[in-house]
Short mmCIF file of all heavy atoms in Angstrom, two decimals:
data_model
loop_
_atom_site.label_atom_id
_atom_site.label_comp_id
_atom_site.label_asym_id
_atom_site.label_seq_id
_atom_site.Cartn_x
_atom_site.Cartn_y
_atom_site.Cartn_z
N ILE A 4 -3.19 -15.08 -5.06
CA ILE A 4 -2.13 -14.24 -4.50
C ILE A 4 -2.73 -12.96 -3.93
O ILE A 4 -2.34 -12.50 -2.84
CB ILE A 4 -1.07 -13.94 -5.56
CG1 ILE A 4 -0.29 -15.22 -5.88
CG2 ILE A 4 -0.12 -12.84 -5.09
CD1 ILE A 4 0.52 -15.14 -7.14
N ALA A 5 -3.70 -12.39 -4.66
CA ALA A 5 -4.36 -11.17 -4.16
C ALA A 5 -5.08 -11.45 -2.85
O ALA A 5 -5.10 -10.60 -1.94
CB ALA A 5 -5.33 -10.63 -5.21
N GLU A 6 -5.69 -12.63 -2.73
CA GLU A 6 -6.36 -12.99 -1.47
C GLU A 6 -5.35 -13.06 -0.33
O GLU A 6 -5.62 -12.58 0.79
CB GLU A 6 -7.08 -14.32 -1.64
CG GLU A 6 -8.33 -14.25 -2.51
CD GLU A 6 -8.94 -15.59 -2.79
OE1 GLU A 6 -8.29 -16.64 -2.51
OE2 GLU A 6 -10.08 -15.63 -3.29
N SER A 7 -4.19 -13.65 -0.60
CA SER A 7 -3.16 -13.72 0.45
C SER A 7 -2.69 -12.32 0.85
O SER A 7 -2.45 -12.06 2.04
CB SER A 7 -1.96 -14.55 -0.04
OG SER A 7 -2.16 -15.92 0.20
N GLN A 8 -2.55 -11.44 -0.11
CA GLN A 8 -2.13 -10.08 0.22
C GLN A 8 -3.16 -9.38 1.09
O GLN A 8 -2.82 -8.71 2.07
CB GLN A 8 -1.88 -9.30 -1.08
CG GLN A 8 -0.64 -9.77 -1.83
CD GLN A 8 -0.51 -9.18 -3.21
OE1 GLN A 8 -1.51 -8.83 -3.84
NE2 GLN A 8 0.72 -9.07 -3.70
N ARG A 9 -4.45 -9.54 0.76
CA ARG A 9 -5.51 -8.94 1.58
C ARG A 9 -5.54 -9.56 2.97
O ARG A 9 -5.75 -8.86 3.98
CB ARG A 9 -6.86 -9.09 0.90
CG ARG A 9 -7.05 -8.21 -0.32
CD ARG A 9 -8.50 -8.14 -0.75
NE ARG A 9 -8.98 -9.43 -1.24
CZ ARG A 9 -8.88 -9.84 -2.51
NH1 ARG A 9 -8.29 -9.07 -3.41
NH2 ARG A 9 -9.36 -11.01 -2.87
N ALA A 10 -5.32 -10.86 3.03
CA ALA A 10 -5.34 -11.54 4.33
C ALA A 10 -4.20 -11.04 5.21
O ALA A 10 -4.39 -10.79 6.41
CB ALA A 10 -5.24 -13.05 4.13
N LEU A 11 -3.01 -10.88 4.63
CA LEU A 11 -1.89 -10.38 5.42
C LEU A 11 -2.12 -8.95 5.89
O LEU A 11 -1.73 -8.57 7.00
CB LEU A 11 -0.59 -10.47 4.62
CG LEU A 11 0.05 -11.86 4.57
CD1 LEU A 11 1.26 -11.85 3.65
CD2 LEU A 11 0.44 -12.34 5.95
N GLU A 12 -2.77 -8.15 5.06
CA GLU A 12 -3.13 -6.79 5.49
C GLU A 12 -4.04 -6.84 6.71
O GLU A 12 -3.89 -6.04 7.64
CB GLU A 12 -3.80 -6.04 4.34
CG GLU A 12 -2.84 -5.66 3.21
CD GLU A 12 -3.57 -5.16 1.98
OE1 GLU A 12 -4.81 -5.01 2.05
OE2 GLU A 12 -2.91 -4.92 0.95
N ALA A 13 -4.97 -7.80 6.72
CA ALA A 13 -5.86 -7.95 7.88
C ALA A 13 -5.08 -8.37 9.13
O ALA A 13 -5.47 -8.03 10.25
CB ALA A 13 -6.96 -8.97 7.57
N LEU A 14 -4.00 -9.11 8.93
CA LEU A 14 -3.17 -9.53 10.07
C LEU A 14 -2.23 -8.44 10.54
O LEU A 14 -1.68 -8.54 11.64
CB LEU A 14 -2.36 -10.77 9.70
CG LEU A 14 -3.13 -12.06 9.42
CD1 LEU A 14 -2.17 -13.19 9.07
CD2 LEU A 14 -4.02 -12.46 10.60
N GLY A 15 -2.00 -7.43 9.70
CA GLY A 15 -1.14 -6.33 10.12
C GLY A 15 0.06 -6.08 9.24
O GLY A 15 0.92 -5.27 9.58
N GLY A 16 0.16 -6.78 8.10
CA GLY A 16 1.28 -6.51 7.20
C GLY A 16 1.86 -7.79 6.65
O GLY A 16 1.20 -8.81 6.56
N GLY A 17 3.12 -7.73 6.28
CA GLY A 17 3.77 -8.90 5.69
C GLY A 17 3.97 -8.72 4.19
O GLY A 17 3.27 -7.94 3.54
N ILE A 18 4.94 -9.44 3.65
CA ILE A 18 5.30 -9.33 2.24
C ILE A 18 5.12 -10.70 1.59
O ILE A 18 5.63 -11.71 2.09
CB ILE A 18 6.76 -8.88 2.08
CG1 ILE A 18 6.98 -7.56 2.84
CG2 ILE A 18 7.13 -8.71 0.61
CD1 ILE A 18 8.43 -7.21 3.03
N VAL A 19 4.40 -10.74 0.47
CA VAL A 19 4.12 -11.98 -0.24
C VAL A 19 5.13 -12.17 -1.36
O VAL A 19 5.42 -11.24 -2.12
CB VAL A 19 2.69 -11.96 -0.82
CG1 VAL A 19 2.47 -13.14 -1.75
CG2 VAL A 19 1.66 -11.99 0.31
N HIS A 20 5.66 -13.40 -1.47
CA HIS A 20 6.58 -13.77 -2.54
C HIS A 20 6.02 -15.00 -3.26
O HIS A 20 5.63 -15.97 -2.60
CB HIS A 20 7.97 -14.07 -2.00
CG HIS A 20 8.52 -13.00 -1.10
ND1 HIS A 20 9.05 -11.82 -1.59
CD2 HIS A 20 8.58 -12.91 0.26
CE1 HIS A 20 9.45 -11.07 -0.58
NE2 HIS A 20 9.17 -11.71 0.55
N GLU A 21 6.01 -14.97 -4.56
CA GLU A 21 5.45 -16.07 -5.35
C GLU A 21 6.52 -17.11 -5.67
O GLU A 21 7.58 -16.79 -6.18
CB GLU A 21 4.87 -15.53 -6.65
CG GLU A 21 3.77 -14.49 -6.47
CD GLU A 21 3.32 -13.91 -7.79
OE1 GLU A 21 3.17 -14.69 -8.76
OE2 GLU A 21 3.14 -12.68 -7.87
N GLY A 22 6.17 -18.39 -5.38
CA GLY A 22 7.08 -19.48 -5.73
C GLY A 22 6.84 -20.02 -7.13
O GLY A 22 7.77 -20.44 -7.81
N GLY A 23 5.56 -20.05 -7.54
CA GLY A 23 5.23 -20.43 -8.90
C GLY A 23 5.22 -21.91 -9.21
O GLY A 23 5.03 -22.30 -10.37
N ILE A 24 5.41 -22.78 -8.22
CA ILE A 24 5.34 -24.22 -8.45
C ILE A 24 3.88 -24.59 -8.73
O ILE A 24 2.98 -24.10 -8.04
CB ILE A 24 5.87 -24.99 -7.23
CG1 ILE A 24 7.31 -24.59 -6.92
CG2 ILE A 24 5.75 -26.50 -7.44
CD1 ILE A 24 8.31 -24.93 -7.98
N PRO A 25 3.61 -25.45 -9.70
CA PRO A 25 2.21 -25.83 -9.96
C PRO A 25 1.56 -26.50 -8.75
O PRO A 25 2.14 -27.40 -8.14
CB PRO A 25 2.32 -26.81 -11.14
CG PRO A 25 3.61 -26.47 -11.80
CD PRO A 25 4.53 -26.04 -10.69
N ASP A 26 0.38 -26.03 -8.41
CA ASP A 26 -0.42 -26.62 -7.33
C ASP A 26 -0.63 -28.11 -7.63
O ASP A 26 -0.91 -28.50 -8.76
CB ASP A 26 -1.76 -25.89 -7.28
CG ASP A 26 -2.56 -26.20 -6.03
OD1 ASP A 26 -2.15 -27.08 -5.25
OD2 ASP A 26 -3.62 -25.56 -5.85
N ARG A 27 -0.48 -28.93 -6.59
CA ARG A 27 -0.61 -30.38 -6.67
C ARG A 27 0.56 -31.03 -7.40
O ARG A 27 0.54 -32.22 -7.67
CB ARG A 27 -1.92 -30.80 -7.34
CG ARG A 27 -3.15 -30.64 -6.45
CD ARG A 27 -3.28 -31.81 -5.50
NE ARG A 27 -4.35 -31.60 -4.52
CZ ARG A 27 -4.65 -32.48 -3.57
NH1 ARG A 27 -3.98 -33.63 -3.48
NH2 ARG A 27 -5.61 -32.23 -2.71
N GLY A 28 1.60 -30.24 -7.68
CA GLY A 28 2.76 -30.80 -8.35
C GLY A 28 4.03 -30.69 -7.55
O GLY A 28 5.12 -30.95 -8.07
N ALA A 29 3.92 -30.34 -6.27
CA ALA A 29 5.12 -30.08 -5.48
C ALA A 29 5.99 -31.31 -5.32
O ALA A 29 7.22 -31.22 -5.33
CB ALA A 29 4.73 -29.52 -4.11
N GLY A 30 5.37 -32.47 -5.19
CA GLY A 30 6.15 -33.68 -5.00
C GLY A 30 7.05 -34.02 -6.17
O GLY A 30 8.07 -34.73 -6.00
N ASP A 31 6.71 -33.53 -7.35
CA ASP A 31 7.52 -33.77 -8.55
C ASP A 31 8.56 -32.67 -8.76
O ASP A 31 9.32 -32.73 -9.73
CB ASP A 31 6.62 -33.85 -9.78
CG ASP A 31 5.63 -34.99 -9.70
OD1 ASP A 31 6.00 -36.06 -9.18
OD2 ASP A 31 4.47 -34.81 -10.15
N ARG A 32 8.59 -31.68 -7.89
CA ARG A 32 9.47 -30.52 -8.09
C ARG A 32 10.35 -30.27 -6.87
O ARG A 32 10.70 -29.12 -6.59
CB ARG A 32 8.63 -29.27 -8.37
CG ARG A 32 7.64 -29.38 -9.51
CD ARG A 32 8.30 -29.33 -10.86
NE ARG A 32 7.36 -29.22 -11.95
CZ ARG A 32 7.07 -28.11 -12.60
NH1 ARG A 32 7.67 -26.98 -12.28
NH2 ARG A 32 6.20 -28.11 -13.59
#
């Protein structure tokens, strides 16, 4: 999440929101 926040800062801004679904588990959720 911190990497995404830094990346968005490099792009010029944006707001990050966490979904919290387990990675590789989206199909079950």
Side-chain angles (χ1 to χ4, degrees):
I4 290 164
E6 288 174 348
S7 274
Q8 289 171 333
R9 288 194 294 272
L11 281 175
E12 289 169 6
L14 294 180
I18 305 166
V19 171
H20 309 282
E21 301 175 42
I24 302 296
D26 192 353
R27 285 279 173 180
D31 298 323
R32 305 286 189 101

